[in-house]
């Protein structure tokens, strides 16, 4: 079996933390052609009365929706809740519990989590935080769009 093509997905938002507010988010998906040249696709969303968690999940789902072949995917995000949930295996447990958390309450952003977990089943995914090569440009573009 050959090596699966790799795709890096970079996610940035103007949101920080759980507070609900208006904001924007952007994703960039990058893969390399056989000759090594990078190819990128991108998308943005603008939402009112939303949270960092919800926007991050929507961005990840949107970016993964463009993938037409099974591949290795690295997702870069600064959203600690999403990172911790993935690293701790919570989405699998939530799905098994019909999208209820350990306290028996509905999982926040269950619909968005369902979209992301469905996409993750088609690919080999890892999630990580930290700076990346697109971060500064993405944040600048989002702030420009918001007029900040």
């Amino acid at each position: 079996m050959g090596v699966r093509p790799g795709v890096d997905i970079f996610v940035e938002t103007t949101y920080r933390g759980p507070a609900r507010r208006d904001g924007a988010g952007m994703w960039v998906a990058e893969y390399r052609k056989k000759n090594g040249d990078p190819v990128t696709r991108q998308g943005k969303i603008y939402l009112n009365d939303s949270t960092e968690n919800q926007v991050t999940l929507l961005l990840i789902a949107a970016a993964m929706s463009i993938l037409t072949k099974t591949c290795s995917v690295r997702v870069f995000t600064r959203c600690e809740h999403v990172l911790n949930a993935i690293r701790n295996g919570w989405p699998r447990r939530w799905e098994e519990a019909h999208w209820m958390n350990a306290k028996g309450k509905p999982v926040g952003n269950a619909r968005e989590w369902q979209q992301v977990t469905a996409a993750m089943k088609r690919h080999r995914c890892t999630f990580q935080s930290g700076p990346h090569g697109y971060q500064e440009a993405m944040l600048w573009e989002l702030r420009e769009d918001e007029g900040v």
Side-chain angles (χ1 to χ4, degrees), residues 53-140:
N53 299 343
Q54 183 182 30
V55 172
T56 298
L57 292 167
L58 288 169
L59 291 164
I60 293 167
M64 291 180 81
S65 75
I66 71 163
L67 304 178
T68 59
K69 296 179 183 176
T70 300
C71 57
S72 295
V73 178
R74 288 189 308 176
V75 178
F76 293 80
T77 179
R78 292 187 295 155
C79 181
E80 290 297 322
H81 176 73
V82 170
L83 288 166
N84 289 332
I86 295 291
R87 289 175 180 157
N88 291 316
W90 297 343
R92 185 181 76 264
R93 286 186 237 145
W94 294 333
E95 185 174 32
E96 290 169 356
H98 305 285
W99 299 99
M100 303 298 268
N101 66 21
K103 296 178 181 178
K105 297 187 178 190
V107 170
N109 301 308
R111 184 180 60 213
E112 292 83 356
W113 275 111
Q114 290 167 8
Q115 291 172 344
V116 169
T117 57
M120 287 174 59
K121 289 176 184 176
R122 293 189 301 270
H123 307 286
R124 191 180 74 212
C125 301
T126 59
F127 284 71
Q128 58 192 79
S129 61
H132 55 79
Y134 292 101
Q135 186 173 26
E136 190 175 311
M138 290 170 74
L139 289 172
W140 180 85

